[in-house]
Structure formats: C-alpha cells, structure tokens
Amino acid sequence: MPDPVTDTSGVAARLTDVRARIAAAERAAQRPAGSVQLVAVSKTFGDDRIVPALEAGQRIFGENRVQEAERKWPPLRERFPGVVVHLIGPLQTNKVRDALAAFDVIETLDRPKLAHALADAMSSSGRRLPCFLEVNLAEEPQKAGVAPAALPEFVALCRDELQLPVVGLMCIPPAEQEPAPYFALLAKLARRHGLAQVSMGMSADFETAVTFGATAVRVGTAIFGAR
Ligand SMILES: *Cc1c(COP(=O)(O)O)cnc(C)c1O
C-alpha cells in the first residue's frame, strides 16, 4: 500500500474515496458490490501520478491517445502485472494496428469505416479486443459516435456481419445538461441489443451513472487531479 505521507500526489487517498463512492452508489441502487468497474483515466499524467494508483491496486486505466499509451504503458506493465488499458479517445483507421497492440479494450468504435479496419486488423493480427460502440446520444455535431437511430444498423454491422467482439455501449453526454436521462437511455439501448456492458459517467457524474446502470465508469480528475 502507498504510504499516505510519501504519496504527496494524494492519488491513493482520492482513489480510495472514489472507490467508496462507487460502492455506496452500488448499494443505494441495490446493485451487487463490485458490479461497476473503475476505469482510472490517466491521460496526460505521468508515472508520478500513475504509480501510486497501481500501488494502491488499481489495474484498469483509460488513455485517449495511441502514441501516449505506447510510450507510457509498456514499462508499467512490466512492473505491475494484470494492467488493462482502455482506449477512450478517437481512433483513426491508420492507427488501428498500433491501437490493437497498445490497448486491451477499445471503447470508441464509432463509425463503419473504423469497424471494417478493426475487423481486418483483428483477423490478420489474431488479437481480438473487446469493443464498445460509442453512441452520440444528443447527436452533437462536434462529437464522435453513432446516432441512436443508426445504432441498430451499426450493431448489425459490427457484431453480426464483421463478428467483432462487441461487449457494450459507451457515451459522453452533453456537457451542460443533466446527465441522468442520457445514462438511462444508453442503458436501455444496451439492453435492447443484448449488450451486457455500459461505459458512462466521469468525475462529475459517476455516481449518477452507477444509479442508471453503468458497468464501467471513467474517472480521471477525481483521482489524478486537474489536467
Ligand atoms: C478525459 C475523459 C474522461 C475522464 O474525465 P474526468 O472528468 O477527468 O473524470 C472520461 N471519458 C472520456 C472519454 C474522456 O476523454
């Protein structure tokens, strides 16, 4: 365990707090303890913040850039077995091969062209990573993800036609709005398509996401501090 005196970053203490808040939200929603995974979003942070989280037992992390993950994670994986790194940022088709090597889970499968590229790269590399389909619930033009109306067709393409390992849905709701209705909608869409996993909720709203059925929350600032 990290020493609270020498862990001047405060990461270990904040991680403990976030875990406790997730557990409380699980209880309040009458969901089983441990049913929500914590993805610790370490983007932009270096080993000085990440190592205290690893020493405190955290193993699931989120990064939003392929090159940053390639640089940061191989040495940490050597030191800390069992690390799982999720890609939570946009993926360009020319980076798909690199992403398959650098990550363990792809959370941002957001368009047909990327689905085809992933299917090709997975079959040639033999490395099949669990994928979340990203949904643009409010159809915000600046945001990635498929519109809710396009989701049935996108699920059919990814899961049925291309046989990608689709495990769930992911969303980033509109910034200035109450997130609860969006979380409820994403959980409903996942159920409708028989997808077990739902990735939603960040530092500002992860407890609400747990209430509405998140199976993974992506929390950065509340653990690692301001970026
Ligand atoms: C950065 C990021 C997060 C974490 O956001 P915080 O507000 O720092 O908790 C979660 N999801 C995605 C997709 C992100 O890019």
Side-chain angles (χ1 to χ4, degrees):
M1 291 297 285
D3 181 336
V5 177
T6 55
D7 176 22
T8 49
S9 68
V11 165
R14 286 194 295 268
L15 186 59
T16 301
D17 176 63
V18 167
R19 285 186 187 144
R21 289 167 59 191
I22 292 170
E26 285 172 341
R27 277 194 302 280
Q30 301 186 322
R31 299 185 53 193
S35 51
V36 179
Q37 284 190 334
L38 172 59
V39 179
V41 176
S42 49
K43 65 186 185 199
T44 77
F45 290 105
D47 288 7
D48 59 323
R49 303 288 173 99
I50 298 175
V51 167
L54 285 159
E55 286 177 339
Q58 180 66 29
R59 286 296 179 272
I60 309 175
F61 292 85
E63 292 281 349
N64 67 339
R65 290 170 185 274
V66 176
Q67 277 188 332
E68 186 178 341
E70 287 175 327
R71 180 169 52 76
K72 278 157 67 173
W73 283 97
L76 292 169
R77 287 182 193 273
E78 300 243 314
R79 286 169 66 190
F80 298 93
V83 163
V84 173
V85 185
H86 291 215
L87 175 62
I88 61 164
L91 179 55
Q92 294 169 344
T93 49
N94 63 355
K95 293 274 173 61
V96 158
R97 266 158 219 289
D98 297 338
L100 285 187
F103 290 93
D104 306 288
V105 176
I106 306 286
E107 291 210 23
T108 47
L109 174 43
D110 62 357
R111 59 199 193 280
K113 190 178 172 208
L114 178 59
H116 284 280
L118 276 168
D120 287 347
M122 284 190 197
S123 66
S124 63
S125 69
R127 187 164 155 82
R128 292 173 58 76
L129 302 190
C131 295
F132 289 76
L133 308 186
E134 182 172 357
V135 187
N136 187 350
L137 291 173
E139 303 189 39
E140 295 171 277
Q142 79 282 14
K143 259 190 198 158
V146 297
L151 187 61
E153 200 184 333
F154 194 50
V155 172
L157 170 69
C158 293
R159 184 177 59 187
D160 307 329
E161 187 183 324
L162 298 174
Q163 309 247 312
L164 290 166
V166 177
V167 296
L169 300 181
M170 177 271 207
C171 77
I172 309 168
E176 305 300 328
Q177 291 176 42
E178 169 57 45
Y182 294 104
F183 293 156
L185 175 57
L186 193 71
K188 185 172 99 177
L189 292 171
R191 274 196 305 278
R192 183 181 295 165
H193 291 286
L195 296 168
Q197 296 190 46
V198 186
S199 173
M200 57 189 187
M202 319 201 304
S203 289
D205 53 22
F206 65 87
E207 287 144 308
T208 306
V210 171
T211 305
F212 286 92
T215 63
V217 293
R218 309 179 306 268
V219 180
T221 311
I223 297 170
F224 296 107
R227 287 184 292 273

